[in-house]
């Protein structure tokens, strides 16, 4: 049985370990500093920001996580749900968990005008799944300016 829950305080250490594994994998463009990972987890747990964390459970075991944030976008004059991250432990991949996760999130955010995500070109399996779910490549250059961590 596959279930999804908001991040639980009792699972902080397990979530942190999974996040470190994910943010140091080929699924991301570059490894993320553990200070940023810790701050992200703390920010999700605090519920002070518009970022949500979802635990992925399979047969009662915590086997992954997802991170989602929302914002208004002028391109569709409505709410955009940014599917930031999805991690499933290797032993639990190819069991339909990701498909159910997307269904769950789309149901949680029924009033959203758009769902958006990023995928590393190296993550071929994920891109294939996203296309099967109806996502399209957005030919759009993004630019960033990171401020130093305080």
């Amino acid at each position: 049985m596959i279930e999804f829950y908001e991040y639980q305080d009792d699972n902080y250490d397990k979530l942190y370990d999974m996040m470190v594994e994910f943010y140091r994998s080929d699924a991301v463009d570059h490894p993320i500093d553990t200070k940023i990972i810790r701050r992200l987890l703390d920010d999700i747990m605090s519920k002070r920001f518009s970022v949500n964390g979802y635990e992925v459970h399979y047969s009662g075991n915590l086997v992954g996580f997802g991170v989602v944030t929302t914002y208004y976008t002028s391109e569709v004059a409505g709410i955009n749900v940014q599917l930031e991250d999805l991690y499933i432990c290797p032993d639990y991949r190819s069991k339909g968990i990701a498909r159910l996760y997307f269904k769950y999130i789309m149901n949680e955010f029924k009033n959203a005008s758009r769902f958006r995500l990023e995928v590393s070109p190296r993550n071929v399996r994920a891109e294939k799944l996203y296309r099967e779910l109806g996502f399209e490549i957005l030919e759009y250059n993004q630019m960033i300016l990171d401020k130093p961590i305080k």
Side-chain angles (χ1 to χ4, degrees):
M1 180 168 186
I2 300 167
E3 297 175 298
F4 307 100
Y5 305 102
E6 287 191 24
Y7 279 14
Q8 303 296 310
D9 291 335
D10 291 349
N11 291 326
Y12 185 97
D13 292 334
K14 290 178 188 174
L15 289 164
Y16 176 77
D17 290 343
M18 283 191 282
M19 292 172 90
V20 169
E21 185 172 333
F22 174 75
Y23 295 118
R24 299 263 170 104
S25 74
D26 285 346
V28 296
D29 186 47
H30 61 277
I32 307 297
D33 186 280
T34 54
K35 290 178 191 171
I36 292 174
I37 296 168
R38 179 79 63 189
R39 188 168 83 190
L40 169 61
L41 181 54
D42 290 345
D43 287 347
I44 292 169
M45 292 289 198
S46 76
K47 301 191 184 308
R48 294 181 301 150
F49 302 98
S50 63
V51 60
N52 299 301
Y54 297 95
E55 297 180 1
V56 178
H57 291 260
Y58 186 89
S59 296
N61 298 311
L62 178 60
V63 300
F65 71 88
V67 177
V68 173
T69 188
T70 60
Y71 56 90
Y72 187 92
T73 182
S74 58
E75 294 172 356
V76 293
I79 296 298
N80 181 83
V81 175
Q82 183 76 30
L83 298 142
E84 289 286 337
D85 307 304
L86 176 60
Y87 173 78
I88 308 296
C89 293
D91 291 345
Y92 293 89
R93 293 178 187 163
S94 299
K95 296 185 182 299
I97 295 171
R99 285 183 188 278
L100 286 175
Y101 175 78
F102 280 94
K103 184 177 178 180
Y104 173 82
I105 293 299
M106 289 177 181
N107 187 56
E108 285 290 298
F109 295 93
K110 288 179 191 147
N111 295 326
S113 297
R114 173 179 281 167
F115 292 87
R116 187 171 179 163
L117 54 79
E118 297 175 359
V119 60
S120 169
R122 293 183 307 266
N123 200 345
V124 177
R125 284 183 61 199
E127 183 177 330
K128 181 179 182 281
L129 171 65
Y130 302 153
R131 285 180 186 271
E132 289 173 4
L133 293 172
F135 287 88
E136 302 172 7
I137 296 291
L138 179 62
E139 297 295 333
Y140 192 80
N141 289 336
Q142 293 191 33
M143 300 172 71
I144 61 171
L145 173 63
D146 288 336
K147 293 172 65 176
I149 299 174
K150 294 180 183 177

